[in-house]
Amino acid sequence: MKLNTGMNLSVDLDKMEFIYDVATTGPLTEKRRLDDIRASLSDPNAEGPSIVYAVAMDVAKKKHMQDLIDRNLLYGAMIFEKGVIGEEPVRSQGHIHAVSASCNASTCEVYEIWAGEAYIYMQEYAGDDPGRCFAVHARTKDVVIVPPGWAHCTINADPSRAMLFGAWCVRDYGFDYEQVRAHRGVAFFPKVKDGSITFVQNTQYHPAQLEILKARAYPEFHLEQGVPIYTQYENNPERFRFVTHPQEAEEQWKEYRP
């Protein structure tokens, strides 16, 4: 399966591995198993695929590796399995991006869907009051930005097929799971009903409202619609500076809506 990523990258879905050409570099995927995410499920005993998703961090064209290291910018590639976990679609655990030593701040993440459909779920806080909550429905070629400090998770919105995406993040990233795990997951659980995704509030949080949005353009971050985010970096290596220096985009983060 060939992907439109801005790199010569393809995927073996049976093995859940990416295939790199001679000009591209990347690792074997790290597999995330069902048992790894049970604590964040609405039903921790639910059955589903044994491997739910696979992650390859630091994928790039070889000629760009030193520049990406110098910029502290990292590109990740992910494969989410098809199917369901009990009543839920395949999804990641919820987490917050921990404070990175390189910028002394939590950092954002820029998603691009390559195949299938996703919901990028995000909530303003991970405490008892989750604040504003959004689920952004994204299709192939759509981009979604998760702001610094927000709890979030990624959901396969079409359980009939695998979902693949790439993402820009900071190289010294870290995940903080503590508060999300203390609440047994994020504030809204996705459920599969009659082939569609609905969301049910997690009662471990104070009552909240969920807004379901469609993916949008991001002119405030000078992103181009329809152009792979890797190509946008290649054309202008400064374009994703807001990922590694989130404080420089302070105005964009105020009252942010994805």
Side-chain angles (χ1 to χ4, degrees):
M1 181 181 179
K2 186 72 174 176
L3 302 169
N4 182 23
T5 64
M7 294 174 274
N8 287 321
L9 191 65
S10 55
V11 65
D12 183 332
L13 290 178
D14 291 332
K15 295 180 180 178
M16 295 189 78
E17 291 289 351
F18 290 103
I19 302 167
Y20 312 105
D21 79 337
V22 294
T24 309
T25 182
L28 292 173
T29 59
E30 298 178 21
K31 309 301 192 296
R32 297 291 185 266
R33 299 184 177 275
L34 178 56
D35 288 345
D36 296 331
I37 70 167
R38 285 193 182 280
S40 68
L41 298 174
S42 59
D43 177 5
N45 299 312
E47 294 300 320
S50 59
I51 297 174
V52 286
Y53 57 97
V55 181
M57 300 304 291
D58 215 1
V59 176
K61 291 184 178 179
K62 292 177 181 177
K63 65 181 180 180
H64 295 141
M65 278 305 302
Q66 189 57 54
D67 182 71
L68 290 170
I69 291 169
D70 292 344
R71 292 179 187 280
N72 201 33
L73 190 60
L74 184 74
Y75 198 79
M78 292 76 167
I79 306 165
F80 274 49
E81 183 59 278
K82 63 183 179 181
V84 295
I85 306 169
E87 296 181 340
E88 293 189 66
V90 168
R91 64 175 177 86
S92 66
Q93 299 183 75
H95 61 261
I96 299 170
H97 289 168
V99 171
S100 293
S102 60
C103 60
N104 198 32
S106 174
T107 56
C108 68
E109 188 167 9
V110 182
Y111 290 79
E112 176 184 70
I113 307 306
W114 292 338
E117 299 179 28
Y119 276 109
I120 311 300
Y121 170 84
M122 62 191 85
Q123 61 191 57
E124 202 168 3
Y125 310 111
D128 291 344
D129 180 357
R132 294 180 297 145
C133 303
F134 300 99
V136 183
H137 186 210
R139 300 176 185 271
T140 302
K141 297 185 179 181
D142 282 341
V143 172
V144 180
I145 299 177
V146 175
W150 287 45
H152 57 284
C153 72
T154 310
I155 301 160
N156 184 347
D158 181 358
S160 70
R161 55 180 172 161
M163 186 271 289
L164 296 90
F165 67 95
W168 284 118
C169 61
V170 71
R171 295 191 81 84
D172 61 331
Y173 69 90
F175 297 148
D176 181 350
Y177 295 100
E178 183 177 357
Q179 290 190 78
V180 172
R181 287 177 175 171
H183 290 86
R184 292 182 50 212
V186 292
F188 287 86
F189 293 119
K191 298 292 183 78
V192 180
K193 184 175 182 181
D194 299 327
S196 300
I197 305 293
T198 60
F199 289 87
V200 177
Q201 176 142 24
N202 178 350
T203 58
Q204 299 293 312
Y205 292 86
H206 294 166
Q209 297 294 318
L210 174 67
E211 286 192 69
I212 298 176
L213 306 175
K214 292 182 178 180
R216 66 173 178 89
Y218 288 94
E220 70 271 36
F221 291 102
H222 308 291
L223 300 189
E224 301 174 61
Q225 281 189 289
V227 179
I229 56 175
Y230 193 92
T231 302
Q232 293 190 55
Y233 151 77
E234 190 170 25
N235 292 342
N236 179 3
E238 284 287 301
R239 195 185 302 266
F240 293 97
R241 184 177 168 86
F242 70 89
V243 175
T244 54
H245 298 78
Q247 302 99 320
E248 295 180 5
E250 184 177 355
E251 286 302 313
Q252 289 92 321
W253 304 132
K254 288 179 181 178
E255 300 302 317
Y256 174 81
R257 286 179 61 81

